Amino acid sequence: MLSSDFMCFITYFALTMKQDLPRHKGQRNQLVKELIAKGIRDTKVLKAISIVPRHLFLDSSFEAYAYQDKAFPIAADQTISQPYTVAFQTELLQLKPTDKVLEIGTGSGYQASVLHQMGVKVYSIERQKELFDQTKMLMKKLGNNFIMKYGDGFAGLPTYGPFEKIIVTAGAPRIPEKLVEQLALNGRMVIPVGSGTQEMKLVTKDEKGEVHVENYGSFRFVPMLSNRNS
Ligand code: SAH
């Protein structure tokens, strides 16, 4: 006969052990169709979104909505980006398998996991300690072993650069100089710039080191803030 404590433990374990089930896969395929309808074309991006289990990156109270094309709150008053935004930014990066990619704003780890799933080398910086610790633990559990740093994205990661690609997932007040410095020749950086609503900007550095900026429409992100918080 099993003790009631043990039964309680089993129930608790069953409830908290989140899984990736066939119905989740079906919901992801549905989401991919929606993203195609909204104009996403890069098959490698769509493939990664069909694989990464977004419901595991959200609080369980949002699990039922994880595959809607919406942003949701995560810890420390931050948000997990809308799948369309993740797909749009990733597509703009035009990833190559040999790319070293720097992400600013790890948040839930979802965007970084999509990049990781695409086979590139990912470095991701988060300034919120609570979120950083929580996401680091989750990524370990999921086996997503990209490099995570607790720090200020405005400074980038000079010792690991230059990066062929940089993606900023918080609304930046301006294009940070240090990130432009750490962008490789022929590199691409995708960054939303502005307060309130942001303009998505594609910053490219040509083979001579000249920098060009193009606009790609309006988006809404939580703000990119200076300094780490502890
Ligand atoms: N890419 C995330 C989106 C997170 S929202 C995801 O897929 O879930 C933006 C994140 O940027 C927040 O977690 C916020 O704390 C972080 N952030 C804001 N300013 C930052 C900075 N200067 N350096 C690093 N991270 C920053």
Side-chain angles (χ1 to χ4, degrees):
M1 182 77 177
L2 294 169
S3 81
S4 65
D5 276 358
F6 185 66
M7 285 309 288
C8 271
F9 171 75
I10 294 286
T11 313
Y12 175 78
F13 186 70
L15 285 173
T16 56
M17 194 183 66
K18 296 184 181 180
Q19 287 180 320
D20 191 25
L21 302 169
R23 74 180 151 88
H24 296 123
K25 177 79 188 160
Q27 289 167 347
R28 284 199 290 279
N29 289 340
Q30 217 29 59
L31 172 63
V32 163
K33 282 190 191 151
E34 206 177 321
L35 297 179
I36 294 171
K38 289 180 179 173
I40 302 299
R41 289 289 171 269
D42 187 328
T43 52
K44 289 184 186 137
V45 174
L46 294 166
K47 179 88 199 277
I49 287 178
S50 79
I51 294 172
V52 178
R54 188 171 188 251
H55 64 285
L56 301 183
F57 294 72
L58 289 167
D59 187 86
S60 13
S61 52
F62 293 110
E63 192 190 316
Y65 315 105
Y67 296 106
Q68 293 185 1
D69 189 21
K70 287 188 182 147
F72 288 106
I74 52 173
D77 290 332
Q78 302 303 319
T79 53
I80 178 171
S81 299
Q82 185 184 340
Y84 174 74
T85 307
V86 171
F88 188 85
Q89 286 195 280
T90 311
E91 184 168 77
L92 265 183
L93 288 176
Q94 295 185 355
L95 294 177
K96 298 199 185 89
T98 52
D99 283 346
K100 219 158 62 172
V101 185
L102 174 65
E103 181 196 29
I104 310 301
T106 316
S108 67
Y110 178 70
Q111 168 74 72
S113 297
V114 167
L115 296 167
H116 178 70
Q117 179 62 44
M118 292 175 74
V120 292
K121 180 134 182 118
V122 182
Y123 297 77
S124 185
I125 310 178
E126 174 56 54
R127 70 175 284 279
Q128 289 270 2
K129 186 72 168 89
E130 175 197 349
L131 200 49
F132 174 82
D133 289 340
Q134 187 182 312
T135 300
K136 195 159 174 105
M137 222 153 64
L138 179 67
M139 294 306 104
K140 202 169 158 196
K141 234 167 48 193
L142 296 178
N144 290 355
N145 54 347
F146 56 84
I147 295 151
M148 283 184 67
K149 299 281 177 192
Y150 167 53
D152 179 4
F154 280 99
L157 283 180
T159 47
Y160 296 88
F163 299 93
E164 283 75 30
K165 307 288 156 69
I166 299 179
I167 175 169
V168 179
T169 65
R174 59 183 181 281
I175 299 171
E177 247 167 66
K178 294 204 169 128
L179 296 186
V180 177
E181 276 167 27
Q182 289 166 40
L183 193 61
L185 294 181
N186 293 314
R188 294 165 79 84
M189 165 159 61
V190 179
I191 175 169
V193 179
S195 55
T197 303
Q198 293 83 32
E199 183 68 24
M200 191 67 78
K201 298 198 182 271
L202 171 65
V203 180
T204 50
K205 197 183 257 189
D206 65 23
E207 66 284 352
K208 292 186 221 118
E210 272 170 35
V211 175
H212 310 267
V213 181
E214 290 166 64
N215 289 335
Y216 279 87
S218 291
F219 287 81
R220 259 189 114 81
F221 285 81
V222 293
M224 181 172 178
L225 302 170
S226 294
N227 303 320
R228 301 188 302 185
N229 95 320
S230 50

